[in-house]
Amino acid sequence: MSNSKSEANEQQFSTKEVRIVPYDPQWKAEFEKIKAMIQSYIGEYVESIQHVGSTSIKSIKAKPIIDIAVGTDDFNRILSHEAELLKAGYHYRPNHDMGGAQLLFACGSYYDGGDMQTHFIHVVKYNSMEWRNYINFRDYLNTYPEIAKQYENVKTRLVEKLGSMGSRNDYVDGKAEFISHTLRKAMVWSFLGKTVTMKTDRPLGYVHRKSGYELVYPLNYGYIPGVLGGDGEELDVYLIGVNEPVESFTGRIIGIAHRADDVEDKLIMAPLDMIFTREEVERAVHFQEQYYDTHIELVK
């Protein structure tokens, strides 16, 4: 049941090369074949199977490797089928476990003495940060083709710069800054217009004192539990339109405070039945955003 000789993999390349090729519509069909294989073996333990990585981003060049994200709540049950996945051509690579956050299975002649890699199955906890990042990166670049083109340009320049002497590690390292910034933007973008629950750690009236500096919070300020922002801490949220301190609140994300001179952005939440103008939103968050180069994006 191995897919290592399937049609989409005619464009294989050596693990020693750094090469990208034009987008191929067959990549989507290839993903569907692998998805069916995964479902046949471990489907009962899986919440979702998604095509991710560069081959899932329409119209940009990519390494012809099919990346699949598998969302599950039980790694042990997946590993109990390791022998069946190996028989299908997918080798478990425990040295790529991302600190326990991922199980990686890989396919290609590289694992039988050759030097080709064709597919990667990334098993991660469903709705974890790893899962969110895989899905958000794909959806964000497919929604904004101009940003996808920027990503393609980064990759193209790297291939030209590295040439035949460059390693795959050099290629991955060269993309890291763009990917990190894009994941940050994709994360806040993924919440725009959504109804979510925030936890408050600085309620309305909270006084922040530091080195003789005092800031009184004119609104409730908190975070989305379990979701990390660009600073590695939980993603911050301004709650506007609520005139009393709250411990938590469920509302709609109506905007994003994009910071050009900081490593993080902030979400802006409002009650479900309230509408605010740009001027009202900017005024509400000015107490803190006045210290940054901030652009407010509002939901359309």
Side-chain angles (χ1 to χ4, degrees):
M1 200 166 180
S2 172
N3 293 279
S4 60
K5 296 182 180 180
S6 57
E7 181 179 338
N9 290 312
E10 293 299 319
Q11 298 184 54
Q12 294 176 351
F13 68 104
S14 169
T15 58
K16 299 176 183 178
E17 293 181 282
V18 178
R19 183 166 66 89
I20 57 177
V21 299
Y23 176 80
D24 186 346
Q26 285 299 314
W27 290 338
K28 181 178 179 181
E30 178 67 11
F31 159 71
E32 293 296 339
K33 293 178 185 178
I34 309 308
K35 179 179 179 181
M37 181 276 294
I38 294 170
Q39 288 175 323
S40 71
Y41 287 130
I42 56 174
E44 63 184 303
Y45 313 124
V46 168
E47 297 294 329
S48 183
I49 303 170
Q50 296 287 324
H51 186 191
V52 297
S54 292
T55 58
S56 69
I57 301 167
K58 302 171 185 175
S59 77
I60 71 167
K61 294 180 180 178
K63 298 193 305 293
I65 294 179
I66 308 300
D67 286 283
I68 302 104
V70 174
T72 184
D73 292 324
D74 194 334
F75 281 178
N76 289 330
R77 287 189 178 275
I78 303 300
L79 286 174
S80 71
H81 290 267
E82 180 184 350
E84 294 164 84
L85 291 169
L86 179 60
K87 186 176 180 180
Y90 290 84
H91 297 248
Y92 175 46
R93 302 181 67 185
N95 57 325
H96 290 74
D97 65 359
M98 291 169 53
Q102 168 181 274
L103 304 177
L104 179 65
F105 294 84
C107 180
S109 66
Y110 174 81
Y111 305 97
D112 298 310
D115 63 356
M116 302 293 181
Q117 293 182 112
T118 58
H119 305 75
F120 289 126
I121 298 175
H122 309 267
V123 182
V124 298
K125 292 297 179 69
Y126 185 63
N127 273 340
S128 64
M129 281 298 298
E130 291 76 23
W131 175 264
R132 290 174 185 269
N133 282 337
Y134 279 130
I135 304 306
N136 289 345
F137 190 81
R138 177 199 68 190
D139 291 351
Y140 188 65
L141 294 192
N142 277 326
T143 301
Y144 297 101
E146 66 278 11
I147 300 177
K149 189 63 178 180
Q150 292 174 18
Y151 184 41
E152 179 185 78
N153 291 339
V154 168
K155 296 195 292 182
T156 300
R157 287 194 296 268
L158 279 169
V159 170
E160 293 172 349
K161 176 182 177 181
L162 296 172
S164 60
M165 300 299 293
S167 70
R168 293 187 66 204
N169 286 339
D170 292 333
Y171 177 72
V172 171
D173 291 345
K175 298 188 299 177
E177 183 177 354
F178 180 92
I179 291 174
S180 177
H181 179 78
T182 303
L183 285 174
R184 164 188 159 185
K185 295 300 179 182
M187 181 59 72
V188 289
W189 168 81
S190 72
F191 283 97
L192 201 56
K194 303 290 179 58
T195 298
V196 296
T197 298
M198 63 168 279
K199 295 290 186 181
T200 305
D201 55 4
R202 298 179 187 179
L204 186 153
Y206 175 87
V207 180
H208 178 67
R209 296 184 177 90
K210 185 177 181 180
S211 302
Y213 171 77
E214 181 174 290
L215 177 65
V216 179
Y217 278 68
L219 46 66
N220 290 285
Y221 181 84
Y223 57 91
I224 306 295
V227 177
L228 302 183
D231 61 350
E233 302 292 335
E234 287 175 302
L235 185 57
D236 293 327
V237 184
Y238 292 115
L239 173 59
I240 67 175
V242 175
N243 298 320
E244 60 183 10
V246 296
E247 293 184 358
S248 65
F249 194 84
T250 299
R252 182 172 182 247
I253 301 301
I254 64 166
I256 302 167
H258 291 282
R259 291 180 172 179
D261 53 353
D262 195 16
V263 297
E264 60 176 330
D265 306 302
K266 311 286 187 180
L267 298 178
I268 302 166
M269 177 186 285
L272 299 178
D273 58 349
M274 298 183 71
I275 298 175
F276 294 88
T277 66
R278 175 176 297 278
E279 291 73 20
E280 289 171 329
V281 172
E282 291 176 346
R283 188 161 56 248
V285 302
H286 178 75
F287 76 102
Q288 187 159 251
E289 294 307 316
Q290 64 181 309
Y291 303 108
Y292 297 91
D293 180 6
T294 298
H295 164 70
I296 301 294
E297 177 184 2
L298 297 180
V299 68
K300 296 179 180 179

